[in-house]
Amino acid sequence: MQQNTRRRACGVTAILIAALAAPLATTTGATAAGGTVTGTKALGATDIACGGSVPVTVTLDAQTGIAGAPVDIELVLDRSGSMQGAIGDLKAAAKSFVDIIDEATDGSLNGVVANGSRIGVVSFSDNASVDTGLTADANAVKAAIDALVAGGNTNHSAAISTGQAQLAGSLPGNAKKMIIMTDGVTTVGGDASDDALAARNAGTEIFGIGLGAVDANEIRDWTTDPDATHYYQAPTPAQLHEVFEAIGAAIVVPAATGVTVIDTVAPQFSVSGAAVSKGSVAQNGNQLTWTIAELATETVTLTFTATHLPAAGGGALAVNPSVAYTDAEGHVVTFGNPTVNVRGCAAFIDVEPEHAVNELGTPGQTHTVTATVTDDFGDPVADTPVDFTVLSGPNAGGAGNGDTSAAGTVDFTYPATQGLAGLGQDSIRGCFTHAAGHRVCDDVLKDWVDTTPPVVTCAPTNNPGGGTVPPAGNEDGFFVLTATDAVDPNPQVFVSDSASPAVFGGFPSGTKIKLVQAPGATPNQKPGVGDIDWRITLKGDALVYGVDASGNRSAPVSCLVPPPPK
C-alpha cells in the first residue's frame, strides 16, 4: 500500500547517495490503453489477361494506445531559482514530450493533439500558475513552456493541487496523467503528500522526475505505484530529454512491437518487386516476410507485383490467400481475400453441331463442324491452335487444323465418302493443348444416311428377233427394267401383279422381260429367249418398283401390255 508519507533521507549526503543510487528509469509497463492494428489487402486490378500482372498492397493501419483512448496530461514543471541553469534543458525536453504526444495521437507532427487528448502546463516556484489550460493546441503548449522563467522557492503542494484542479475539469472519458518535474526539496507550502494522495484517489496517474540531488523518496511518495515505472531520475539536465521521452513512451503505448507479417502468394503467380514503407522484407520463393520493430499511429504498406503463370489456368484466383500477422502484444489481425479475374486462358472447347444427319445424296457433299474455344468465364479466346480428327465411321482418318479467330472459332470441313461405303456415323473430335500441357477435347457425331428410293423405269424394248419397237405401242410385251440410285450402284427391280399377290425379282437394272397378261393363268416366271432374260406371266397389270441397299422402296410404275387384237 502506498503511504501518505515515506521515510526521507536526512542531510545532503543522504540526498546525494540517493541520487547516485537511482539510475535513469526506463519503463516497460503499459500505462495507457493498448494500441490497435488492423490489416487490409488490395489488388490493383479486378481483371488481368492470361499471363498478366496485378499490383498487390498489404496495409497495416496502426493506432497507439493514446490514439485510441484519449488522455489529459498535465505537465507540472519546476521554475524555482535552483532551475536557473537547467531551465533551457527542461524546455527542450518538455517540448519534445509534447511532440511525442502530438504525433502519437494521429500519426502526424502537425501541432494538433488529436483524437480527444489534451495537454496543459502548470509551473511552480513560491506558488503555482496555470500557464495554459488543457488544450489540443500543441503549439500553444510549447509556447507556454518556452515562456518559463526561473526564480523563487519550491512549493510542491501548490504545484500538485493546481495541476489536479486542472485535471478535475477534464473530460470524463479521458484518462488523467500528471508529470511533476522538480530539482529540489519542498521549501515553502508544506508537505505535498496529501495533495498527491487526493490526486491519485481521484484517478490521476502521477509520474515524477527528479533532477540532480533531489529527495527521491519525497517524489516517490507522490507518484503512482509501482515506482519502477513512475519515478524517473535525471542526474544531469542533459538527461531530461531521455526521461521525458521514456515517460512519453509509457503514456503513448506503441500500437505494436516485434511485428512480423508472412504473406504467402498462390502458386498460380510469381512474385517480383517486393517493397515496404517501413521495416524490411525478405523473399523466399512465393513467401514474403515483412518485419517491423515498432508501429506507432501510422499506415504502412507492403507492395509487390504478382504475375500470372499461364500454365496454372485462369478464372477468379486468390493472389495471396494466406497472410499471417504476429506481434509481441498478441494482436490478432485478419486480412480480406480479394480475387483477380484472369481472363483469356483457353479452358474449354465446344464443337458444333453436336449431332447432324445428312442425306448422302449427290456426290461432292461435305460436312463442316465449328469449334469454339473459351476461357473460364465463357469468353472467346483467339489464336488457339485446334486439331480435328474423324475418329471413326465411314470417313475415319479425315483430319484438319486451324487457329481460332477473334470470335474464338475455327471450322473443319471434310468431304463425304460416296456410295454405300459412305453410309454410317462419323465420330469427330476437336482438341487444343492447354497451357499446362494436357489436351482438352470435345466429340460430336455425324450420321450419313440414305432415305431416297431408287428411280425405276419400265421401257419397251425390241423383241429377241431383232425387230424394232412399234411406234403405236409394245404389242409384243418386251420391256427393259431400269433402276438408278444416288447411293446404291446396284438397286434391285421387282415386278408385282396388280391382280394377285405375286412378286418377281429382284432383278438388276437393265433386265429385259417378256410380259404376258393372261387373266386366267397362274402368275409365273420362266427364262426368256435370246436377249430376253425372263418371261413373266401375270393376271393383271405389271407394277414395277425398285429397292436399294438401305431398304428404300420406290413408288410402283405401271408396265402395261396392250390387249390382244380381236
Side-chain angles (χ1 to χ4, degrees):
M1 176 182 295
Q2 189 156 7
Q3 304 296 320
N4 290 349
T5 60
R6 294 173 179 165
R7 177 180 298 177
R8 295 178 172 81
C10 297
V12 174
T13 302
I15 293 173
L16 288 173
I17 292 172
L20 293 172
L24 175 66
T26 56
T27 181
T28 57
T31 58
T36 61
V37 184
T38 59
T40 58
K41 182 169 56 179
L43 304 180
T46 56
D47 297 84
I48 62 172
C50 188
S53 298
V54 58
V56 183
T57 302
V58 177
T59 302
L60 296 176
D61 286 301
Q63 192 176 67
T64 59
I66 195 172
V71 175
D72 281 336
I73 304 169
E74 196 68 40
L75 293 174
V76 181
L77 306 177
D78 190 343
R79 54 175 170 80
S80 63
S82 59
M83 285 292 296
Q84 185 73 44
I87 196 71
D89 287 307
L90 172 61
K91 290 178 181 181
K95 288 191 293 182
S96 176
F97 172 83
V98 173
D99 286 342
I100 289 171
I101 303 302
D102 174 355
E103 186 170 14
T105 55
D106 61 2
S108 176
L109 184 57
N110 56 4
V112 177
V113 179
N115 290 311
S117 292
R118 299 179 299 175
I119 304 176
V121 178
V122 166
S123 63
F124 64 95
S125 59
D126 293 295
N127 288 296
S129 62
V130 177
D131 298 294
T132 183
L134 290 166
T135 179
D137 186 344
N139 292 328
V141 174
K142 291 194 288 186
I145 294 170
D146 267 332
L148 297 179
V149 177
N153 295 302
T154 306
N155 189 340
H156 290 129
S157 177
I160 293 174
S161 61
T162 302
Q164 179 58 28
Q166 292 295 301
L167 291 171
S170 68
L171 298 174
N174 283 24
K176 300 169 181 61
K177 316 283 182 182
M178 182 187 299
I179 303 170
I180 181 167
M181 179 273 149
T182 185
D183 75 335
V185 295
T186 300
T187 57
V188 295
D191 191 351
S193 295
D194 289 341
D195 302 290
L197 177 62
R200 294 196 305 271
N201 288 342
T204 297
E205 184 178 11
I206 301 177
F207 295 84
I209 302 172
L211 173 61
V214 296
D215 185 348
N217 285 334
E218 180 181 31
I219 301 172
R220 288 191 182 100
D221 191 53
W222 304 334
T223 59
T224 298
D225 286 334
D227 290 338
T229 58
H230 289 84
Y231 174 69
Y232 296 77
Q233 180 118 10
T236 68
Q239 291 173 289
L240 285 173
H241 185 281
E242 188 176 350
V243 167
F244 271 99
E245 188 176 71
I247 295 175
I251 293 174
V252 166
V253 181
T257 58
V259 174
T260 300
V261 178
I262 299 177
D263 189 338
T264 303
V265 178
Q268 295 94 331
F269 299 87
S270 62
V271 181
S272 62
V276 293
S277 64
K278 185 175 185 178
S280 62
V281 62
Q283 180 174 347
N284 182 12
N286 270 28
Q287 187 174 88
L288 301 173
T289 301
W290 179 18
T291 55
I292 306 170
E294 180 176 300
L295 285 175
T297 298
E298 57 189 325
T299 297
V300 295
T301 57
L302 160 66
T303 58
F304 60 91
T305 298
T307 300
H308 174 250
L309 304 175
L317 302 180
V319 178
N320 50 340
S322 174
V323 181
Y325 174 96
T326 58
D327 63 26
E329 291 72 24
H331 290 107
V332 176
V333 179
T334 57
F335 299 82
N337 191 23
T339 59
V340 64
N341 296 325
V342 180
R343 299 183 180 274
C345 295
F348 304 103
I349 185 170
D350 180 42
V351 182
E352 295 289 344
E354 189 72 23
H355 185 198
V357 179
N358 267 66
E359 190 77 15
L360 188 56
T362 307
Q365 288 196 72
T366 60
H367 180 54
T368 299
V369 295
T370 301
T372 302
V373 177
T374 55
D375 65 9
D376 296 84
F377 302 94
D379 296 324
V381 180
D383 301 319
T384 302
V386 177
D387 298 320
F388 297 92
T389 305
V390 182
L391 299 175
S392 62
N395 299 289
N401 58 73
D403 294 347
T404 56
S405 66
T409 61
V410 60
D411 293 339
F412 167 55
T413 300
Y414 67 93
T417 298
Q418 297 303 308
L420 294 176
L423 294 174
Q425 185 177 77
D426 288 332
S427 176
I428 309 159
R429 173 171 292 174
C431 300
F432 72 89
T433 301
H434 191 276
H438 62 272
R439 300 278 282 170
V440 181
C441 304
D442 187 34
D443 294 351
V444 296
L445 300 174
K446 171 68 173 183
D447 288 329
W448 298 100
V449 299
D450 177 16
T451 62
T452 303
V455 175
V456 298
T457 63
C458 178
T461 186
N462 59 294
N463 64 38
T468 59
V469 178
N474 186 9
E475 295 180 359
D476 294 335
F478 293 101
F479 297 91
V480 59
L481 308 179
T482 62
T484 58
D485 188 79
V487 175
D488 185 357
N490 298 302
Q492 297 293 294
V493 182
F494 294 85
V495 178
S496 66
D497 186 353
S498 65
S500 76
V503 176
F504 302 99
F507 305 115
S509 180
T511 296
K512 293 183 179 181
I513 64 171
K514 162 66 174 175
L515 191 57
V516 177
Q517 190 174 27
T522 298
N524 62 84
Q525 173 185 335
K526 297 179 180 179
V529 176
D531 64 352
I532 300 301
D533 297 297
W534 299 100
R535 173 188 174 90
I536 299 175
T537 301
L538 305 174
K539 286 185 176 183
D541 294 326
L543 300 177
V544 179
Y545 60 89
V547 178
D548 63 19
S550 299
N552 300 305
R553 176 173 170 168
S554 69
V557 298
S558 297
C559 196
L560 300 178
V561 179
K566 297 180 180 179

